[in-house]
Amino acid sequence: MAKVPYRIYLSEEEIPKNWYNLRADMKEPHDPLISPATHEPLKKEDLYPIFCEDLAAQEMDYTTRYFPIPEEIREFYKIYRPSPLCRAYNLEKALGTPAKIYYKFEGNNTSGSHKLNSAVAQAYYAKKQGLKGLTTETGAGQWGTALSEACAYFGLDLTVYMVKTSAQQKPYRKAIIETFGADIIPSPSDTTEAGRAILAKNPNTGGSLGCAISEAVEKAVTSDSCRYVLGSVLDQVLLHQSVIGLEAKTAMEKYGEYPDIIIGCAGGGSNLGGLIAPFMKDRLDGTKNPYFIAVEPASCPSLTRGKYAYDFCDTGKITPLAKMYTLGCEFLPSPNHAGGLRYHGMSPTLSKLYHDGYLDEARSYEQTKVFDAAVFFAKHETILPAPESSHAIRAAIDEALKCKQSGEEKTILFGLTGTGYFDMTAYMSYLEGSMTDYIPTDEDLQKGFDSLPKVE
Amino acid sequence: MAKVPYRIYLSEEEIPKNWYNLRADMKEPHDPLISPATHEPLKKEDLYPIFCEDLAAQEMDYTTRYFPIPEEIREFYKIYRPSPLCRAYNLEKALGTPAKIYYKFEGNNTSGSHKLNSAVAQAYYAKKQGLKGLTTETGAGQWGTALSEACAYFGLDLTVYMVKTSAQQKPYRKAIIETFGADIIPSPSDTTEAGRAILAKNPNTGGSLGCAISEAVEKAVTSDSCRYVLGSVLDQVLLHQSVIGLEAKTAMEKYGEYPDIIIGCAGGGSNLGGLIAPFMKDRLDGTKNPYFIAVEPASCPSLTRGKYAYDFCDTGKITPLAKMYTLGCEFLPSPNHAGGLRYHGMSPTLSKLYHDGYLDEARSYEQTKVFDAAVFFAKHETILPAPESSHAIRAAIDEALKCKQSGEEKTILFGLTGTGYFDMTAYMSYLEGSMTDYIPTDEDLQKGFDSLPKVE
């Protein structure tokens, strides 16, 4: 076997031809989406006013194992994929570990993250259905950027409701989304009933993700030519993100490698779900037994401290209910929390796998520990990681140090979801020593749990 | 021949093993660096107080055709190279041109540009000589970022004198350089005699690149363990940057392609010189006849409106004199100029090639025309280009449109030197319609020419 290169690039032909639907191999399906009014399971037709039809069908399909990736989407993927699988030789050396560390790097595109993998797919299906445009919300801005790229490519209008404080604090993110031709509306706005109601009550509010979702959904459902799209949590998103894991597995196989430990950061679960998908298949098939670790912020600990319960997918309580690990849809991480991974819940698929013991471990870190790892990684691997991705780096380093202690030559794979070029404010507060940690108290969490809907 | 993929990635083994020194094949050498005091040609030993010895030797070597790339540098290159050669299928389609457009994309590393190619080399040789650290200046910040990455990797101290107004206006650039462990000193500072003298005269000055160079050089020459490094203009830099052209040529050859037109943006010349090097060899050897175009801002037109004369390499008039196309070392582009490409002179090698007619054409564009091209490119190729790189995009689009008129299927290659993630202020002013153009008048230029030293 040849020496593994620093960067393994598959060829264009090796970009997956199918997405892999992990639900088809799960021992038990996760509980279905239900109506918040009747608590009855939803049918795909119930989703048509919100999502375009192909995506609604993907969302509800628990049995089709492989979905062919349409040629138009593969053509777009070829612009920025396959993404490199990287061997972290320099990090290994700096740690003095016998472990072999790999990371799948999804940051080499202008959105700066893996979000583009699903944005392209969602924009394509909207175009195919003859829609004119899409609406979405964005907080940190990676999803908004990814979707604006995809919509520019397919010639779709895009309206992004951006949390007003984010739009003010991150003018560069706003600018990059506008460069791709999307309209940004700081939320709450006077363009929707939801926005006007909130403004009437509180004219000076800086907005919230929940409010932005409400506005984006309202804008979509009140239009015939427009639908709403979401960048994480949903099964359709995990399906699209399976390209991450499929490529990683193919690239490792070329060098006779298979991971002993697979690590991903987890907010809504899009990256982790995509990365682990084909490896989890091996686990479910009984052919391999990798160890899976989900890493989340101590300030937003849905898997490690949440409840496995039905909850709204949004803070505004207008979406269907999903069974998932959740902190309650009214939970908000403390204001000192930097970067993403601030979602109150977790992908229903990942929640079920965790609940059933297939996703082996969930682990949380305080953010200063995460930034220690980020800066160490940057100096040795020369990539400036996103705060989100750095949660996975932290865990990978800790696992590699355990190997150093034990002398085990484990093979570690983690997801490096993106770059931190638009997160320099957080890096600055870390470098200046002004970054603080906050672990919610049980009382803090109880307030969130009190917002859970009552479902028998 | 197989269909050309969207992105051509060479393998790790195909990273060049040698840099190519274009001077070895020039019909006539360019005029040597001379002492500002005696006007005598300099010997390499004269440069030792400023540059480390191997780099001084490279600077003065007009005859060695190939310099082996040390293994330690190739190991670093493997972290982010080979960079992709991209076929701009989407741009071609959007333009409706029969031209085949390729671009060599150097932006997929944290410095965001090709600057890292020479930063790594310069840091390596400093380490090899047993030096403790390096000094440099930075304006826009790409060079400072690249060098901070390289110094972190090789374990060297780095002091970056950053123009005070830049440090204030670009806190994120400052932060990223500090993340890699470098010290940033806003210039002018009280750490050097040059800085103290300027502050005594004008305590509230925002600084200038000339002043920052003076401080960085002073700091280096007054220390035994430290040397000064520069990211462009010098022949050593063009030598290191030849990896761009060497990789591009190999990648094109794989698909039976050879460019009819080669286009690069030109500030000090590091990117253009590196990109064209092996193709210019073919031209000088008489085996091929590609057409070379240098593109510069209308606001800083050294090739198109400058004089071919001996001049200082810095505004502070402390460096040796170089024979080059120059606007005079005291020339400053108008304050509305966005991005880099603001150097008063041009690489002596490129200047000589232009003067002798081998570099066929120099062309200048006003910046709003450049940003038109940047945004069009971003929407179709999904990469947000740096303002500097967008000068080359503008010319490539114009050449492709000429092909549309004439029906010629020319093959165009241009250098996409970097990404614009840290240039969103400029994009914002373009999007808002507040970006303006400025073409210096003959009177403006005369003031710069008046600063030229008198050399017989």
Side-chain angles (χ1 to χ4, degrees):
Chain A
M1 199 66 66
K3 190 202 169 202
V4 178
Y6 282 80
R7 299 284 181 263
I8 308 173
Y9 281 100
L10 300 175
S11 74
E12 210 166 85
E13 291 72 41
E14 291 169 302
I15 293 175
K17 297 199 169 46
N18 298 284
W19 290 304
Y20 167 59
N21 182 8
L22 180 54
R23 287 169 294 174
D25 286 303
M26 283 168 67
K27 302 297 175 193
E28 272 181 25
H30 66 70
D31 291 315
L33 291 174
I34 60 174
S35 156
T38 66
H39 294 184
E40 289 298 313
L42 296 180
K43 296 187 296 295
K44 68 179 179 184
E45 293 77 10
D46 298 325
L47 297 177
Y48 287 175
I50 307 181
F51 301 132
C52 68
E53 296 179 11
D54 285 327
L55 292 168
Q58 289 177 1
E59 192 63 32
M60 293 307 192
D61 191 327
Y62 286 61
T63 54
T64 304
R65 183 169 284 115
Y66 293 105
F67 282 82
I69 304 178
E71 202 45 46
E72 293 85 345
I73 295 176
R74 286 191 82 240
E75 286 296 302
F76 192 119
Y77 280 174
K78 288 174 186 173
I79 304 176
Y80 72 101
R81 303 200 72 79
S83 72
L85 178 71
C86 308
R87 174 71 185 269
Y89 285 117
N90 292 319
L91 181 63
E92 292 168 19
K93 196 172 149 193
L95 294 172
T97 178
K100 292 185 278 185
I101 308 175
Y102 289 87
Y103 53 95
K104 180 71 170 165
F105 180 40
E106 293 286 327
N108 271 351
N109 67 73
T110 288
S111 83
S113 82
H114 67 294
K115 294 283 182 187
L116 193 53
N117 301 330
S118 184
V120 175
Q122 297 195 47
Y124 164 76
Y125 288 113
K127 185 75 182 176
K128 185 180 163 218
Q129 191 171 319
L131 298 174
K132 282 204 183 139
L134 292 172
T135 71
T136 197
E137 77 290 333
T138 202
Q142 288 178 328
W143 170 246
T145 307
L147 197 63
S148 70
E149 288 181 54
C151 286
Y153 179 87
F154 286 113
L156 288 165
D157 296 336
L158 173 63
T159 305
V160 180
Y161 288 88
M162 189 167 188
V163 179
K164 194 179 278 178
T165 49
S166 285
Q168 288 162 348
Q169 288 166 8
K170 291 195 155 188
Y172 294 165
R173 267 292 181 200
K174 182 169 175 289
I176 197 167
I177 294 169
E178 289 175 336
T179 299
F180 284 100
D183 285 327
I184 291 216
I185 301 180
S187 168
S189 74
D190 61 4
T191 66
T192 64
E193 292 210 9
R196 286 189 293 271
I198 289 166
L199 283 173
K201 221 193 278 181
N202 187 355
N204 298 318
T205 177
S208 72
L209 206 55
C211 169
I213 294 178
S214 303
E215 291 201 82
V217 172
E218 179 184 327
K219 170 98 174 176
V221 298
T222 56
S223 158
D224 283 342
S225 60
C226 177
R227 292 294 181 279
Y228 169 73
V229 293
L230 184 66
S232 191
V233 184
L234 299 171
D235 280 320
Q236 59 185 273
V237 177
L238 265 67
L239 176 70
H240 308 148
Q241 294 295 358
S242 68
V243 293
I244 303 173
L246 292 165
E247 283 183 8
K249 191 158 180 261
T250 303
M252 293 191 86
E253 279 167 356
K254 283 200 160 185
Y255 293 90
E257 293 276 31
Y258 194 91
D260 299 303
I261 303 173
I262 303 174
I263 300 167
C265 61
S270 67
N271 145 67
L272 181 67
L275 176 68
I276 69 174
F279 300 102
M280 184 61 82
K281 180 177 193 307
D282 293 343
R283 169 76 167 268
L284 293 163
D285 291 348
T287 55
K288 294 274 186 183
N289 196 23
Y291 187 82
F292 298 98
I293 306 175
V295 191
E296 58 186 17
S299 53
C300 192
S302 58
L303 282 172
T304 49
R305 297 177 69 197
K307 288 195 192 305
Y308 189 46
Y310 265 110
D311 195 6
F312 289 96
C313 298
D314 69 317
T315 316
K317 301 189 182 184
I318 59 173
T319 66
L321 302 181
K323 181 80 172 283
M324 58 185 174
Y325 279 88
T326 177
L327 298 163
C329 68
E330 291 182 13
F331 176 86
L332 287 175
S334 80
N336 72 340
H337 173 86
L341 308 183
R342 42 176 69 241
Y343 186 63
H344 65 275
M346 180 58 63
S347 143
T349 292
L350 292 179
S351 291
K352 175 72 175 165
L353 289 167
Y354 182 56
H355 190 252
D356 292 351
Y358 294 103
L359 174 53
D360 298 278
E361 182 184 338
R363 185 184 292 185
S364 72
Y365 287 106
E366 295 167 61
Q367 64 183 355
T368 52
K369 295 275 182 296
V370 168
F371 275 82
D372 288 345
V375 171
F376 189 82
F377 180 84
K379 287 184 179 173
H380 293 286
E381 290 289 319
T382 82
I383 295 169
L384 187 85
E388 298 83 4
S389 326
S390 303
H391 287 74
I393 295 172
R394 173 77 268 170
I397 287 176
D398 286 356
E399 291 304 307
L401 290 174
K402 280 187 207 163
C403 290
K404 186 178 180 176
Q405 289 276 324
S406 67
E408 287 173 292
E409 293 182 25
K410 286 190 179 167
T411 299
I412 300 169
L413 167 65
F414 72 90
L416 188 70
T417 55
T419 49
Y421 307 142
F422 291 87
D423 300 284
M424 294 316 299
T425 308
Y427 273 96
M428 283 162 71
S429 77
Y430 170 79
L431 293 170
E432 291 160 10
S434 60
M435 176 175 275
T436 54
D437 293 316
Y438 182 76
I439 303 178
T441 64
D442 289 342
E443 290 70 33
D444 293 332
L445 293 186
Q446 191 54 49
K447 283 181 210 158
F449 296 144
D450 290 342
S451 68
L452 284 170
K454 282 171 192 37
V455 179
E456 298 304 305
Chain B
M1 198 68 67
K3 190 201 168 201
V4 179
Y6 282 80
R7 300 284 181 264
I8 309 172
Y9 281 101
L10 300 176
S11 73
E12 210 168 84
E13 291 72 42
E14 290 171 303
I15 293 175
K17 297 199 168 50
N18 298 285
W19 291 305
Y20 167 58
N21 181 11
L22 179 54
R23 287 170 293 174
D25 285 303
M26 284 168 68
K27 302 298 174 192
E28 271 182 25
H30 66 70
D31 290 316
L33 290 175
I34 60 174
S35 156
T38 66
H39 294 182
E40 288 297 314
L42 296 179
K43 295 186 298 295
K44 69 179 180 185
E45 293 77 11
D46 298 325
L47 297 177
Y48 287 175
I50 307 181
F51 301 131
C52 69
E53 295 181 11
D54 284 326
L55 292 168
Q58 290 177 0
E59 192 63 33
M60 293 308 194
D61 192 327
Y62 286 61
T63 55
T64 303
R65 183 168 284 116
Y66 293 105
F67 282 83
I69 304 178
E71 203 44 46
E72 293 86 344
I73 295 175
R74 285 192 83 241
E75 286 297 303
F76 192 119
Y77 279 173
K78 288 174 185 174
I79 305 176
Y80 71 102
R81 305 200 69 79
S83 71
L85 178 71
C86 309
R87 175 70 184 271
Y89 285 117
N90 292 319
L91 182 63
E92 292 169 19
K93 195 172 151 194
L95 294 171
T97 178
K100 294 185 276 186
I101 307 176
Y102 289 88
Y103 53 94
K104 180 71 169 164
F105 180 39
E106 293 286 326
N108 271 351
N109 67 72
T110 287
S111 82
S113 82
H114 68 293
K115 294 284 183 185
L116 193 52
N117 301 330
S118 184
V120 175
Q122 297 194 46
Y124 165 76
Y125 287 114
K127 186 75 181 177
K128 185 181 163 217
Q129 191 171 320
L131 298 173
K132 282 206 181 137
L134 292 171
T135 71
T136 198
E137 76 290 333
T138 202
Q142 289 178 328
W143 170 246
T145 307
L147 196 64
S148 70
E149 288 181 53
C151 286
Y153 180 87
F154 286 113
L156 288 165
D157 296 335
L158 173 63
T159 305
V160 180
Y161 287 89
M162 188 167 189
V163 178
K164 193 179 279 177
T165 50
S166 285
Q168 287 161 350
Q169 288 167 8
K170 291 196 155 187
Y172 294 165
R173 266 295 180 197
K174 182 169 175 289
I176 197 168
I177 294 170
E178 288 174 337
T179 299
F180 285 100
D183 285 327
I184 291 217
I185 300 181
S187 168
S189 74
D190 62 4
T191 66
T192 63
E193 292 210 9
R196 287 190 291 272
I198 290 164
L199 284 173
K201 223 194 275 182
N202 187 354
N204 297 317
T205 178
S208 71
L209 207 55
C211 170
I213 294 178
S214 302
E215 289 202 81
V217 172
E218 179 184 325
K219 171 99 174 174
V221 297
T222 55
S223 157
D224 282 342
S225 59
C226 178
R227 292 292 182 281
Y228 169 75
V229 293
L230 184 66
S232 189
V233 184
L234 299 171
D235 280 319
Q236 60 186 270
V237 177
L238 265 68
L239 177 70
H240 307 148
Q241 295 294 358
S242 68
V243 294
I244 303 173
L246 291 164
E247 283 183 9
K249 191 158 181 263
T250 302
M252 293 192 85
E253 279 167 358
K254 283 199 161 185
Y255 292 90
E257 292 276 31
Y258 194 92
D260 299 304
I261 303 173
I262 304 174
I263 300 167
C265 62
S270 67
N271 145 68
L272 181 67
L275 175 68
I276 69 174
F279 300 102
M280 183 61 81
K281 179 177 194 307
D282 293 343
R283 168 77 168 266
L284 294 163
D285 290 348
T287 56
K288 293 275 187 183
N289 197 21
Y291 187 81
F292 298 100
I293 306 175
V295 191
E296 58 185 16
S299 53
C300 192
S302 57
L303 282 173
T304 48
R305 296 176 70 195
K307 287 195 193 307
Y308 189 47
Y310 264 109
D311 195 6
F312 289 96
C313 297
D314 69 317
T315 317
K317 302 190 183 184
I318 58 173
T319 65
L321 303 181
K323 181 80 172 281
M324 58 186 173
Y325 279 88
T326 178
L327 298 163
C329 68
E330 290 182 13
F331 176 86
L332 287 175
S334 79
N336 72 338
H337 173 85
L341 308 183
R342 44 176 68 242
Y343 187 62
H344 64 277
M346 180 57 64
S347 142
T349 291
L350 292 178
S351 291
K352 174 71 176 167
L353 289 167
Y354 182 56
H355 190 251
D356 292 351
Y358 293 103
L359 174 53
D360 298 279
E361 183 184 339
R363 185 185 292 186
S364 71
Y365 286 107
E366 294 167 63
Q367 65 183 356
T368 52
K369 294 274 181 297
V370 168
F371 275 81
D372 288 345
V375 171
F376 189 83
F377 180 85
K379 287 184 179 171
H380 293 285
E381 291 289 319
T382 83
I383 295 170
L384 187 86
E388 298 82 4
S389 324
S390 303
H391 287 74
I393 295 173
R394 174 77 268 171
I397 288 176
D398 286 355
E399 291 303 307
L401 290 174
K402 279 188 209 166
C403 290
K404 187 178 180 178
Q405 288 276 326
S406 67
E408 288 173 291
E409 293 183 23
K410 286 189 179 169
T411 300
I412 299 169
L413 167 65
F414 73 89
L416 187 70
T417 54
T419 50
Y421 306 141
F422 290 88
D423 300 284
M424 293 317 297
T425 308
Y427 273 95
M428 285 162 71
S429 76
Y430 170 78
L431 293 169
E432 290 160 11
S434 61
M435 177 176 275
T436 53
D437 293 316
Y438 184 76
I439 303 178
T441 63
D442 289 341
E443 290 70 36
D444 293 332
L445 294 187
Q446 190 55 49
K447 283 182 211 157
F449 296 144
D450 290 342
S451 68
L452 285 170
K454 283 172 192 35
V455 179
E456 300 302 310

